[in-house]
Amino acid sequence: PAPVPAPAGGPALPRDWNSYAPVVKRVAPAVVVIEGKTKARPKLDDPDPGFGSGVLIHPAGIVLTCNHLVADATALDVTLADGRTFPAKEIRRDPKTDLAIVRIEDPAPFPFVEFGNSEAMEPGDRVLAFGAPFGLTGSVTQGIVSARGRRNLNVNVVEDFIQFDAAVNAGNSGGPLVSTEGKLIGLTSAIKTRSGGFQGVGLAVSGKLADAVAADLIRNGAVKRPSIGVQVRELDEDAATRNKLKPGGGVVISEVVAKSPGEAANLGVGDVVTTFNGQAVTTPREMLKAVVAAPAGQPVAVVVVRNGQAFQTRVTPVEQLDVA
């Protein structure tokens, strides 16, 4: 049957159908701008503007932001949406996920945003991105979830990204990505671009990962992760020739901590690790990713080349605080 037109002057659509204003009003007061007071002034062609965004996740003044915004700063200013500025009392960082916690203080409780269920988000779900692109504080853009579970992008060591298409630019880093319910489901961390500007591919650390990392940083000051107690470096030409390997055919162990799982597994300085837990490792970054992804307390296979001879051993990673 033919549709019946609505009568003139009929009821309008509910506001939450045609405007995000109610969500913005709930979230915006908890969005902050973070600026390093002692950070060196960036060069004109430096994509890092020297400031970024963050979001309050607890009324006691706990701000979640990106590690790359605070890593080089010894002092920070945190400015709220209402214009008040607070000095950071404490900074706790996790470089492997590019997340950090900044603590500010005030007798009154701060506005904050609760974590939502990022695992329940699906491609096509609407999202809002908050932040201060190019210093334009109080900005918000809208889009959809483009994909979930993006990994192996070589952005961070530990990765679980939500890809989205809401416009974000320099200054948005550390800003919240929220659902239409106003819940925190991600933290803007990076963009994929060939121009240096936004090209429709934003990446936010998933709320699930951010929530877990934030909890560890708040409770322990660092994140607990598997470790085997070794340091590695690139396989240079001399080490490759000595071990009858091609350049990039593994990583060289440069340090073994005493009484560590690595020492117990007969790993030594100068050994070349080619495979860890079934994964080929060609760079220190790949080795690190393989170790932190391994199950703590369970032995995993490691293929090692020593003086040109390959052998296999088993190492049992132990969970320990990964201090930045």
Side-chain angles (χ1 to χ4, degrees):
V4 178
L13 289 172
R15 182 172 178 78
D16 59 358
W17 281 31
N18 57 21
S19 175
Y20 297 111
V23 181
V24 173
K25 288 177 181 178
R26 290 200 301 271
V27 174
V31 181
V32 304
V33 174
I34 294 176
E35 188 168 5
K37 295 171 62 177
T38 60
K39 191 172 182 179
R41 186 178 180 86
K43 299 177 181 178
L44 292 179
D45 58 351
D46 190 342
D48 179 4
F51 64 89
S53 304
V55 58
L56 284 151
I57 59 172
H58 194 279
I62 305 298
V63 177
L64 179 65
T65 187
C66 286
N67 172 71
H68 72 260
L69 298 176
V70 303
D72 298 327
T74 57
L76 297 172
D77 277 341
V78 178
T79 302
L80 273 62
D82 60 14
R84 292 181 295 162
T85 297
F86 297 86
K89 295 296 184 180
E90 187 178 18
I91 303 170
R92 298 182 177 185
R93 305 187 298 109
D94 182 45
K96 291 183 177 62
T97 55
D98 192 30
L99 294 173
I101 288 294
V102 176
R103 185 172 60 85
I104 57 178
E105 292 181 351
D106 192 66
F110 290 97
F112 69 101
V113 177
E114 295 179 342
F115 278 98
N117 184 2
S118 61
E119 295 292 283
M121 300 298 292
E122 298 180 357
D125 284 347
R126 293 177 294 174
V127 289
L128 300 178
F130 291 77
F134 305 118
L136 299 172
T137 59
S139 295
V140 58
T141 53
Q142 65 87 28
I144 62 169
V145 171
S146 302
R148 255 194 336 108
R150 292 290 195 207
R151 296 178 176 87
N152 300 318
L153 300 180
N154 291 323
V155 177
N156 300 327
V157 173
V158 179
E159 296 179 333
D160 181 17
F161 287 114
I162 294 175
Q163 180 187 332
F164 63 96
D165 70 346
V168 288
N169 285 284
N172 272 106
S173 286
L177 186 72
V178 305
S179 66
T180 52
E181 296 176 340
K183 297 295 181 67
L184 181 62
I185 54 92
L187 197 79
T188 299
S189 178
I191 59 175
K192 282 288 189 179
T193 176
R194 293 179 178 175
S195 67
F198 182 68
Q199 291 187 298
V201 183
L203 298 172
V205 178
S206 75
K208 179 181 179 181
L209 178 58
D211 192 5
V213 169
D216 260 6
L217 290 176
I218 293 168
R219 182 170 52 246
N220 305 311
V223 179
K224 288 186 176 181
R225 290 200 175 94
S227 171
I228 62 171
V230 304
Q231 298 291 325
V232 299
R233 61 174 175 82
E234 297 278 356
L235 177 64
D236 57 32
E237 187 173 349
D238 288 343
T241 301
R242 187 168 57 252
N243 287 282
K244 303 175 184 178
L245 294 168
K246 295 180 179 179
V251 293
V252 181
I253 295 178
S254 57
E255 180 184 353
V256 180
V257 176
K259 299 181 181 180
S260 69
E263 185 182 66
N266 191 33
L267 298 178
V269 173
D271 289 349
V272 179
V273 178
T274 60
T275 304
F276 187 91
N277 197 20
Q279 300 179 45
V281 290
T282 62
T283 66
R285 185 186 186 89
E286 287 182 354
M287 177 70 176
L288 186 56
K289 290 179 71 171
V291 171
V292 299
Q298 299 181 29
V300 298
V302 185
V303 177
V304 179
V305 178
R306 177 180 295 167
N307 298 323
Q309 300 295 317
F311 67 94
Q312 180 172 296
T313 184
R314 298 182 75 80
V315 62
T316 302
V318 294
E319 195 172 60
Q320 64 182 33
L321 288 179
D322 189 5
V323 180

